[in-house]
Amino acid sequence: MWQSVGWDMTYKALKDNDLRHLAAINRSYLEFLGSNDRHAARQLERLEPTAREMLRRLTPEQRGEAASSPFLLCSVRAVDVGGSAADPGSFELFRGAAPSVELVLYMSLSLLRRLAWRRPFAARLLGGVDAAWCDELAGLDEPALAAIAHAQAARLRPVHAAVAGFWPELLRCAELVPLRRRAVRAAGLQLQQRLPATPPLRAAASRLQASRRRSG
């Protein structure tokens, strides 16, 4: 889907390697949601019952097709990447064979940071985040990413969980005709661009900074 879009400069199509990493992250997240992990149970509560049941009985083919969506299936919008100074300590990202929510968040942040360096628009679209979020993420190093993944894993959410019917359609992608499959993925991309309203405190701070610049 991305390859068909001929973007220039920051709007160029993603590389095959980026798409493979994206699909791998999405696959890991779907495996996590279908596991018996206590964090997964909390996230499943945000999805409609049909989607919950489908996630528990996904075949590898169904999981792989859903994972090929051109955006992150885990929402990182609630993750705070601004000025994190947390110490990752001896935190281990890789625990056991099953993907953990910490690992999924770490991989998501790592991919978005790489894209923020060279494809800012793609990073915003994949993650459903704004330019300021991407700018802050781009300045973090690996230990900071690990610290955020450790401290904020509970903030990860299934993307577009509040949109009725989206997840059941997404999980059926392997059974859909190509035209319908593209429509589901296009809808997901459009929803990624619907950013939440600016929090009052951030808006107030922005206005204050603008006022100071004018008065200076």
Side-chain angles (χ1 to χ4, degrees), residues 1 166 177-190:
M1 186 170 188
F166 176 78
V177 297
L179 183 62
R180 181 61 185 168
R181 190 182 307 142
R182 286 196 294 271
V184 172
R185 290 171 177 171
L189 279 174
Q190 289 177 337

Side-chain angles (χ1 to χ4, degrees), residues 116-150:
W117 290 339
R118 54 186 172 83
R119 299 282 189 275
F121 177 78
R124 297 198 298 270
L125 193 57
L126 259 66
V129 291
D130 60 22
W133 193 96
C134 285
D135 288 344
E136 291 172 336
L137 179 68
L140 300 179
D141 57 17
E142 291 295 326
L145 296 187
I148 291 172
H150 178 49

Side-chain angles (χ1 to χ4, degrees), residues 77-115:
R77 286 181 176 177
V79 176
D80 181 10
V81 297
S84 174
D87 180 7
S90 60
F91 172 59
E92 296 180 5
L93 287 171
F94 303 95
R95 296 196 305 257
S100 67
V101 67
E102 294 91 352
L103 176 58
V104 171
L105 177 53
Y106 174 79
M107 291 191 299
S108 300
L109 294 176
S110 183
L111 173 63
L112 292 176
R113 185 188 61 167
R114 290 197 304 273
L115 291 175

Side-chain angles (χ1 to χ4, degrees), residues 22 25-26 70-76 108 111-112 126-127 159 192:
L22 175 61
I25 294 168
N26 284 341
F71 49 87
L72 282 171
L73 299 185
C74 54
S75 174
V76 296
S108 300
L111 173 63
L112 292 176
L126 259 66
V159 72
Q192 286 291 77

Side-chain angles (χ1 to χ4, degrees), residues 1-2 19-34 47 51 54-74 126 158-160 165-177 180-186 188-189 192:
M1 186 170 188
W2 284 91
L19 293 172
R20 282 194 295 270
H21 286 168
L22 175 61
I25 294 168
N26 284 341
R27 243 187 341 265
S28 294
Y29 185 59
L30 292 174
E31 289 177 21
F32 160 73
L33 288 179
L47 296 174
M54 293 176 73
L55 278 163
R56 293 189 180 101
R57 50 186 172 81
L58 279 180
T59 66
E61 179 189 5
Q62 291 171 327
R63 185 180 297 114
E65 193 61 57
S68 296
S69 299
F71 49 87
L72 282 171
L73 299 185
C74 54
L126 259 66
V159 72
H160 313 323
F166 176 78
W167 270 83
E169 282 287 280
L170 175 74
L171 298 175
R172 289 192 191 101
C173 271
E175 306 159 16
L176 301 177
V177 297
R180 181 61 185 168
R181 190 182 307 142
R182 286 196 294 271
V184 172
R185 290 171 177 171
L189 279 174
Q192 286 291 77

